[in-house]
Amino acid sequence: ANPILKVWSATNRVGETGISSGFTGLWYDAAKPGYGAHIEVLAPATPGGPDRVAAAWYVYNAAGQQRWITGEGTINGDTATIPAAFYTNGGLFPPNFNPAQVQIKPFGSLTFRFSNCNAGTLSWTTSDTAEFGAAQGQLGLSRLTQIKDLPCTLYNPGQVDRNGRPGVNTVAINV
């Protein structure tokens, strides 16, 4: 008979670390429902480059008016950074919408950091304190939706498989 010996590997997993495409979905602050964010993980802009993120933060300004803060940035490990986010105002509901009335204004930066597939934080910095009040802040995020059949994994350096387990190599040995 040939017994089977399982060998636990200590090698690094091949590939990227950090946020995977399974983070795509809607996120919100469970302690303060009423605003949230949509995050979409995108492929690199250039071959071999970092994965990207597109995000929209659905929030209110200091006067209580709805604002969508949007942008695109890059992913590095457990963090997605959007260095130049924007918001718009001046638009009207259809059929009265006129694109010439829409003003695109700079907001500042957004940083999403995740501790696992269901929790993270959103930090922001804005220079438009007249519109938004606070120049910077942070809020907790909880997952609200997940794409069907798209598993989420927060890749960690040194892991071997996509579930965070060390790799197992099955080896047949003759005794």
Side-chain angles (χ1 to χ4, degrees), residues 31-80:
K32 299 175 186 174
Y35 58 87
H38 176 178
I39 299 168
E40 187 169 339
V41 176
L42 307 171
T46 57
D51 283 349
R52 297 173 301 135
V53 64
W57 182 22
Y58 311 115
V59 71
Y60 300 90
N61 67 7
Q65 299 166 319
Q66 291 180 335
R67 291 289 183 257
W68 290 9
I69 300 168
T70 60
E72 183 263 333
T74 56
I75 295 171
N76 183 6
D78 64 356
T79 304

Tab-separated table of all heavy atoms in Angstrom, residues 31-80:
chain	number	residue	atom	x	y	z
A	31	ALA	N	-24.518	51.576	11.311
A	31	ALA	CA	-24.919	52.408	12.446
A	31	ALA	C	-25.629	53.681	11.990
A	31	ALA	O	-26.317	54.325	12.790
A	31	ALA	CB	-23.696	52.770	13.288
A	32	LYS	N	-25.462	54.046	10.715
A	32	LYS	CA	-26.050	55.283	10.186
A	32	LYS	C	-26.610	55.036	8.788
A	32	LYS	O	-26.117	55.585	7.806
A	32	LYS	CB	-25.004	56.393	10.148
A	32	LYS	CG	-24.435	56.738	11.501
A	32	LYS	CD	-23.328	57.764	11.366
A	32	LYS	CE	-22.677	57.992	12.720
A	32	LYS	NZ	-21.523	58.855	12.609
A	33	PRO	N	-27.642	54.196	8.654
A	33	PRO	CA	-28.171	53.936	7.317
A	33	PRO	C	-28.753	55.204	6.700
A	33	PRO	O	-29.199	56.099	7.404
A	33	PRO	CB	-29.250	52.878	7.562
A	33	PRO	CG	-29.613	53.000	9.000
A	33	PRO	CD	-28.396	53.526	9.709
A	34	GLY	N	-28.740	55.268	5.380
A	34	GLY	CA	-29.237	56.441	4.672
A	34	GLY	C	-28.247	56.968	3.668
A	34	GLY	O	-28.565	57.808	2.840
A	35	TYR	N	-27.018	56.497	3.735
A	35	TYR	CA	-26.018	56.801	2.727
A	35	TYR	C	-25.116	55.592	2.599
A	35	TYR	O	-25.111	54.708	3.452
A	35	TYR	CB	-25.216	58.068	3.037
A	35	TYR	CG	-24.472	58.059	4.351
A	35	TYR	CD1	-23.197	57.541	4.436
A	35	TYR	CD2	-25.043	58.585	5.501
A	35	TYR	CE1	-22.503	57.535	5.628
A	35	TYR	CE2	-24.364	58.593	6.705
A	35	TYR	CZ	-23.097	58.070	6.761
A	35	TYR	OH	-22.423	58.071	7.940
A	36	GLY	N	-24.375	55.529	1.501
A	36	GLY	CA	-23.507	54.378	1.292
A	36	GLY	C	-22.640	54.565	0.068
A	36	GLY	O	-22.561	55.657	-0.499
A	37	ALA	N	-22.006	53.482	-0.345
A	37	ALA	CA	-21.064	53.539	-1.458
A	37	ALA	C	-21.246	52.329	-2.361
A	37	ALA	O	-21.619	51.249	-1.900
A	37	ALA	CB	-19.628	53.591	-0.943
A	38	HIS	N	-20.999	52.538	-3.624
A	38	HIS	CA	-20.913	51.453	-4.599
A	38	HIS	C	-19.459	51.349	-5.003
A	38	HIS	O	-18.849	52.340	-5.406
A	38	HIS	CB	-21.780	51.754	-5.821
A	38	HIS	CG	-21.645	50.711	-6.892
A	38	HIS	ND1	-22.357	50.756	-8.032
A	38	HIS	CD2	-20.877	49.603	-6.989
A	38	HIS	CE1	-22.042	49.712	-8.802
A	38	HIS	NE2	-21.132	49.021	-8.184
A	39	ILE	N	-18.915	50.146	-4.906
A	39	ILE	CA	-17.521	49.900	-5.244
A	39	ILE	C	-17.483	48.856	-6.345
A	39	ILE	O	-18.179	47.842	-6.271
A	39	ILE	CB	-16.741	49.394	-4.005
A	39	ILE	CG1	-16.773	50.456	-2.916
A	39	ILE	CG2	-15.320	49.011	-4.390
A	39	ILE	CD1	-16.289	49.952	-1.584
A	40	GLU	N	-16.671	49.104	-7.351
A	40	GLU	CA	-16.485	48.126	-8.427
A	40	GLU	C	-14.995	47.949	-8.656
A	40	GLU	O	-14.278	48.917	-8.912
A	40	GLU	CB	-17.164	48.597	-9.709
A	40	GLU	CG	-17.138	47.557	-10.793
A	40	GLU	CD	-18.026	47.906	-11.965
A	40	GLU	OE1	-18.955	48.715	-11.812
A	40	GLU	OE2	-17.769	47.371	-13.053
A	41	VAL	N	-14.539	46.706	-8.538
A	41	VAL	CA	-13.135	46.392	-8.763
A	41	VAL	C	-12.934	46.167	-10.261
A	41	VAL	O	-13.669	45.407	-10.888
A	41	VAL	CB	-12.703	45.154	-7.950
A	41	VAL	CG1	-11.258	44.773	-8.258
A	41	VAL	CG2	-12.873	45.427	-6.459
A	42	LEU	N	-11.939	46.860	-10.827
A	42	LEU	CA	-11.672	46.828	-12.261
A	42	LEU	C	-10.294	46.235	-12.544
A	42	LEU	O	-9.408	46.249	-11.686
A	42	LEU	CB	-11.724	48.248	-12.834
A	42	LEU	CG	-12.974	49.066	-12.543
A	42	LEU	CD1	-12.781	50.501	-12.979
A	42	LEU	CD2	-14.178	48.432	-13.214
A	43	ALA	N	-10.116	45.775	-13.759
A	43	ALA	CA	-8.824	45.254	-14.200
A	43	ALA	C	-7.808	46.392	-14.276
A	43	ALA	O	-8.180	47.568	-14.348
A	43	ALA	CB	-8.980	44.589	-15.561
A	44	PRO	N	-6.528	46.055	-14.301
A	44	PRO	CA	-5.497	47.095	-14.445
A	44	PRO	C	-5.676	47.895	-15.736
A	44	PRO	O	-6.148	47.363	-16.746
A	44	PRO	CB	-4.193	46.297	-14.481
A	44	PRO	CG	-4.503	44.998	-13.830
A	44	PRO	CD	-5.945	44.715	-14.158
A	45	ALA	N	-5.281	49.164	-15.711
A	45	ALA	CA	-5.343	50.009	-16.911
A	45	ALA	C	-4.296	49.587	-17.926
A	45	ALA	O	-4.494	49.727	-19.127
A	45	ALA	CB	-5.155	51.475	-16.528
A	46	THR	N	-3.181	49.073	-17.440
A	46	THR	CA	-2.113	48.581	-18.308
A	46	THR	C	-1.706	47.188	-17.843
A	46	THR	O	-1.772	46.909	-16.636
A	46	THR	CB	-0.886	49.510	-18.279
A	46	THR	OG1	-0.433	49.623	-16.918
A	46	THR	CG2	-1.207	50.888	-18.806
A	47	PRO	N	-1.296	46.310	-18.744
A	47	PRO	CA	-0.879	44.968	-18.334
A	47	PRO	C	0.194	45.021	-17.247
A	47	PRO	O	1.149	45.781	-17.354
A	47	PRO	CB	-0.330	44.353	-19.627
A	47	PRO	CG	-1.019	45.112	-20.718
A	47	PRO	CD	-1.188	46.509	-20.191
A	48	GLY	N	-0.013	44.245	-16.198
A	48	GLY	CA	0.932	44.196	-15.097
A	48	GLY	C	0.763	45.304	-14.076
A	48	GLY	O	1.428	45.311	-13.054
A	49	GLY	N	-0.132	46.254	-14.339
A	49	GLY	CA	-0.368	47.351	-13.403
A	49	GLY	C	-1.284	46.920	-12.266
A	49	GLY	O	-1.766	45.790	-12.229
A	50	PRO	N	-1.543	47.819	-11.338
A	50	PRO	CA	-2.408	47.482	-10.209
A	50	PRO	C	-3.876	47.417	-10.625
A	50	PRO	O	-4.292	48.093	-11.579
A	50	PRO	CB	-2.179	48.635	-9.230
A	50	PRO	CG	-1.796	49.788	-10.108
A	50	PRO	CD	-1.041	49.192	-11.259
A	51	ASP	N	-4.649	46.576	-9.936
A	51	ASP	CA	-6.091	46.587	-10.136
A	51	ASP	C	-6.606	47.970	-9.781
A	51	ASP	O	-5.992	48.711	-9.009
A	51	ASP	CB	-6.776	45.543	-9.253
A	51	ASP	CG	-6.634	44.132	-9.799
A	51	ASP	OD1	-6.183	43.964	-10.954
A	51	ASP	OD2	-6.982	43.189	-9.068
A	52	ARG	N	-7.756	48.331	-10.347
A	52	ARG	CA	-8.340	49.645	-10.114
A	52	ARG	C	-9.682	49.506	-9.423
A	52	ARG	O	-10.249	48.418	-9.348
A	52	ARG	CB	-8.526	50.379	-11.449
A	52	ARG	CG	-7.233	50.648	-12.174
A	52	ARG	CD	-7.450	51.218	-13.570
A	52	ARG	NE	-8.232	50.288	-14.368
A	52	ARG	CZ	-9.267	50.635	-15.145
A	52	ARG	NH1	-9.637	51.891	-15.258
A	52	ARG	NH2	-9.926	49.732	-15.836
A	53	VAL	N	-10.183	50.622	-8.940
A	53	VAL	CA	-11.503	50.666	-8.326
A	53	VAL	C	-12.242	51.891	-8.867
A	53	VAL	O	-11.643	52.948	-9.074
A	53	VAL	CB	-11.407	50.727	-6.779
A	53	VAL	CG1	-10.734	51.993	-6.298
A	53	VAL	CG2	-12.765	50.567	-6.137
A	54	ALA	N	-13.532	51.701	-9.127
A	54	ALA	CA	-14.426	52.823	-9.428
A	54	ALA	C	-15.422	52.859	-8.275
A	54	ALA	O	-15.900	51.813	-7.825
A	54	ALA	CB	-15.147	52.613	-10.750
A	55	ALA	N	-15.713	54.047	-7.772
A	55	ALA	CA	-16.602	54.140	-6.617
A	55	ALA	C	-17.513	55.352	-6.731
A	55	ALA	O	-17.156	56.364	-7.343
A	55	ALA	CB	-15.786	54.230	-5.324
A	56	ALA	N	-18.683	55.205	-6.141
A	56	ALA	CA	-19.623	56.313	-5.987
A	56	ALA	C	-20.067	56.306	-4.528
A	56	ALA	O	-20.510	55.284	-4.016
A	56	ALA	CB	-20.825	56.147	-6.910
A	57	TRP	N	-19.899	57.439	-3.868
A	57	TRP	CA	-20.312	57.588	-2.476
A	57	TRP	C	-21.583	58.425	-2.486
A	57	TRP	O	-21.582	59.569	-2.922
A	57	TRP	CB	-19.203	58.266	-1.684
A	57	TRP	CG	-19.452	58.445	-0.219
A	57	TRP	CD1	-20.318	57.751	0.580
A	57	TRP	CD2	-18.808	59.386	0.639
A	57	TRP	NE1	-20.248	58.191	1.876
A	57	TRP	CE2	-19.326	59.199	1.939
A	57	TRP	CE3	-17.846	60.365	0.429
A	57	TRP	CZ2	-18.915	59.967	3.020
A	57	TRP	CZ3	-17.432	61.117	1.509
A	57	TRP	CH2	-17.954	60.919	2.780
A	58	TYR	N	-22.683	57.822	-2.041
A	58	TYR	CA	-23.988	58.486	-1.998
A	58	TYR	C	-24.139	59.104	-0.616
A	58	TYR	O	-24.302	58.407	0.382
A	58	TYR	CB	-25.105	57.479	-2.261
A	58	TYR	CG	-24.845	56.630	-3.485
A	58	TYR	CD1	-24.655	55.259	-3.391
A	58	TYR	CD2	-24.774	57.213	-4.748
A	58	TYR	CE1	-24.423	54.490	-4.517
A	58	TYR	CE2	-24.529	56.451	-5.880
A	58	TYR	CZ	-24.360	55.086	-5.758
A	58	TYR	OH	-24.118	54.328	-6.880
A	59	VAL	N	-24.072	60.431	-0.561
A	59	VAL	CA	-23.977	61.128	0.714
A	59	VAL	C	-24.733	62.455	0.617
A	59	VAL	O	-25.333	62.759	-0.416
A	59	VAL	CB	-22.467	61.317	1.061
A	59	VAL	CG1	-21.808	62.329	0.166
A	59	VAL	CG2	-22.244	61.607	2.513
A	60	TYR	N	-24.722	63.224	1.672
A	60	TYR	CA	-25.380	64.538	1.721
A	60	TYR	C	-24.347	65.610	2.014
A	60	TYR	O	-23.374	65.359	2.720
A	60	TYR	CB	-26.463	64.552	2.807
A	60	TYR	CG	-27.533	63.519	2.567
A	60	TYR	CD1	-27.415	62.230	3.079
A	60	TYR	CD2	-28.650	63.827	1.803
A	60	TYR	CE1	-28.392	61.280	2.840
A	60	TYR	CE2	-29.628	62.883	1.554
A	60	TYR	CZ	-29.492	61.608	2.074
A	60	TYR	OH	-30.456	60.664	1.818
A	61	ASN	N	-24.580	66.803	1.498
A	61	ASN	CA	-23.673	67.909	1.814
A	61	ASN	C	-24.091	68.553	3.143
A	61	ASN	O	-25.037	68.094	3.796
A	61	ASN	CB	-23.608	68.924	0.664
A	61	ASN	CG	-24.913	69.673	0.452
A	61	ASN	OD1	-25.865	69.571	1.221
A	61	ASN	ND2	-24.959	70.433	-0.626
A	62	ALA	N	-23.411	69.609	3.533
A	62	ALA	CA	-23.684	70.260	4.822
A	62	ALA	C	-25.090	70.846	4.899
A	62	ALA	O	-25.645	71.005	5.978
A	62	ALA	CB	-22.644	71.342	5.085
A	63	ALA	N	-25.713	71.144	3.731
A	63	ALA	CA	-27.067	71.704	3.696
A	63	ALA	C	-28.147	70.619	3.583
A	63	ALA	O	-29.333	70.932	3.498
A	63	ALA	CB	-27.194	72.676	2.523
A	64	GLY	N	-27.720	69.337	3.566
A	64	GLY	CA	-28.682	68.238	3.490
A	64	GLY	C	-29.081	67.849	2.080
A	64	GLY	O	-30.005	67.056	1.901
A	65	GLN	N	-28.392	68.368	1.074
A	65	GLN	CA	-28.689	68.012	-0.314
A	65	GLN	C	-27.893	66.769	-0.714
A	65	GLN	O	-26.723	66.633	-0.343
A	65	GLN	CB	-28.334	69.167	-1.246
A	65	GLN	CG	-29.125	70.429	-0.949
A	65	GLN	CD	-28.514	71.629	-1.663
A	65	GLN	OE1	-27.305	71.784	-1.730
A	65	GLN	NE2	-29.385	72.483	-2.187
A	66	GLN	N	-28.542	65.894	-1.480
A	66	GLN	CA	-27.859	64.678	-1.911
A	66	GLN	C	-26.692	65.003	-2.833
A	66	GLN	O	-26.788	65.886	-3.683
A	66	GLN	CB	-28.832	63.762	-2.645
A	66	GLN	CG	-29.880	63.170	-1.748
A	66	GLN	CD	-30.830	62.257	-2.517
A	66	GLN	OE1	-31.012	62.399	-3.718
A	66	GLN	NE2	-31.429	61.321	-1.809
A	67	ARG	N	-25.607	64.290	-2.629
A	67	ARG	CA	-24.441	64.416	-3.496
A	67	ARG	C	-23.909	63.017	-3.798
A	67	ARG	O	-23.878	62.156	-2.915
A	67	ARG	CB	-23.325	65.234	-2.836
A	67	ARG	CG	-23.653	66.687	-2.666
A	67	ARG	CD	-23.659	67.403	-4.009
A	67	ARG	NE	-23.897	68.815	-3.862
A	67	ARG	CZ	-25.061	69.407	-4.115
A	67	ARG	NH1	-26.103	68.701	-4.505
A	67	ARG	NH2	-25.192	70.711	-3.966
A	68	TRP	N	-23.500	62.814	-5.027
A	68	TRP	CA	-22.783	61.610	-5.416
A	68	TRP	C	-21.336	62.015	-5.635
A	68	TRP	O	-21.039	62.834	-6.502
A	68	TRP	CB	-23.329	61.030	-6.703
A	68	TRP	CG	-24.680	60.423	-6.612
A	68	TRP	CD1	-25.557	60.462	-5.569
A	68	TRP	CD2	-25.322	59.675	-7.641
A	68	TRP	NE1	-26.703	59.801	-5.879
A	68	TRP	CE2	-26.595	59.296	-7.160
A	68	TRP	CE3	-24.966	59.300	-8.931
A	68	TRP	CZ2	-27.485	58.550	-7.907
A	68	TRP	CZ3	-25.854	58.548	-9.668
A	68	TRP	CH2	-27.092	58.179	-9.161
A	69	ILE	N	-20.458	61.441	-4.855
A	69	ILE	CA	-19.026	61.698	-4.999
A	69	ILE	C	-18.452	60.483	-5.714
A	69	ILE	O	-18.606	59.353	-5.241
A	69	ILE	CB	-18.368	61.939	-3.633
A	69	ILE	CG1	-19.021	63.164	-2.969
A	69	ILE	CG2	-16.868	62.115	-3.782
A	69	ILE	CD1	-18.669	63.344	-1.528
A	70	THR	N	-17.828	60.701	-6.858
A	70	THR	CA	-17.382	59.589	-7.692
A	70	THR	C	-15.912	59.726	-8.051
A	70	THR	O	-15.346	60.820	-8.004
A	70	THR	CB	-18.197	59.525	-9.001
A	70	THR	OG1	-18.010	60.744	-9.717
A	70	THR	CG2	-19.677	59.331	-8.720
A	71	GLY	N	-15.323	58.603	-8.406
A	71	GLY	CA	-13.936	58.638	-8.843
A	71	GLY	C	-13.407	57.262	-9.154
A	71	GLY	O	-14.091	56.249	-8.966
A	72	GLU	N	-12.177	57.253	-9.632
A	72	GLU	CA	-11.489	56.015	-9.989
A	72	GLU	C	-10.080	56.086	-9.423
A	72	GLU	O	-9.461	57.147	-9.416
A	72	GLU	CB	-11.467	55.889	-11.522
A	72	GLU	CG	-10.856	54.621	-12.044
A	72	GLU	CD	-9.403	54.790	-12.445
A	72	GLU	OE1	-8.978	55.885	-12.810
A	72	GLU	OE2	-8.668	53.793	-12.354
A	73	GLY	N	-9.609	54.963	-8.910
A	73	GLY	CA	-8.267	54.924	-8.330
A	73	GLY	C	-7.665	53.544	-8.425
A	73	GLY	O	-8.134	52.702	-9.199
A	74	THR	N	-6.633	53.307	-7.630
A	74	THR	CA	-5.916	52.032	-7.682
A	74	THR	C	-6.015	51.293	-6.354
A	74	THR	O	-6.285	51.878	-5.306
A	74	THR	CB	-4.437	52.244	-8.031
A	74	THR	OG1	-3.871	53.138	-7.074
A	74	THR	CG2	-4.274	52.807	-9.432
A	75	ILE	N	-5.766	50.000	-6.448
A	75	ILE	CA	-5.800	49.113	-5.285
A	75	ILE	C	-4.375	48.737	-4.928
A	75	ILE	O	-3.584	48.376	-5.798
A	75	ILE	CB	-6.632	47.858	-5.588
A	75	ILE	CG1	-8.089	48.257	-5.823
A	75	ILE	CG2	-6.507	46.830	-4.471
A	75	ILE	CD1	-8.964	47.139	-6.339
A	76	ASN	N	-4.071	48.818	-3.633
A	76	ASN	CA	-2.779	48.386	-3.117
A	76	ASN	C	-3.052	47.609	-1.840
A	76	ASN	O	-3.351	48.197	-0.799
A	76	ASN	CB	-1.870	49.585	-2.860
A	76	ASN	CG	-0.496	49.171	-2.384
A	76	ASN	OD1	-0.161	47.997	-2.334
A	76	ASN	ND2	0.316	50.156	-2.031
A	77	GLY	N	-2.986	46.286	-1.925
A	77	GLY	CA	-3.254	45.449	-0.761
A	77	GLY	C	-4.704	45.540	-0.332
A	77	GLY	O	-5.615	45.345	-1.133
A	78	ASP	N	-4.934	45.895	0.930
A	78	ASP	CA	-6.297	45.988	1.468
A	78	ASP	C	-6.893	47.383	1.317
A	78	ASP	O	-7.934	47.686	1.880
A	78	ASP	CB	-6.315	45.573	2.938
A	78	ASP	CG	-5.495	46.497	3.830
A	78	ASP	OD1	-4.823	47.435	3.327
A	78	ASP	OD2	-5.515	46.289	5.058
A	79	THR	N	-6.236	48.245	0.522
A	79	THR	CA	-6.635	49.650	0.407
A	79	THR	C	-6.862	50.051	-1.045
A	79	THR	O	-6.062	49.722	-1.919
A	79	THR	CB	-5.542	50.549	1.024
A	79	THR	OG1	-5.331	50.143	2.376
A	79	THR	CG2	-5.932	52.007	0.987
A	80	ALA	N	-7.953	50.768	-1.272
A	80	ALA	CA	-8.240	51.362	-2.579
A	80	ALA	C	-8.251	52.877	-2.394
A	80	ALA	O	-8.974	53.395	-1.546
A	80	ALA	CB	-9.584	50.882	-3.110
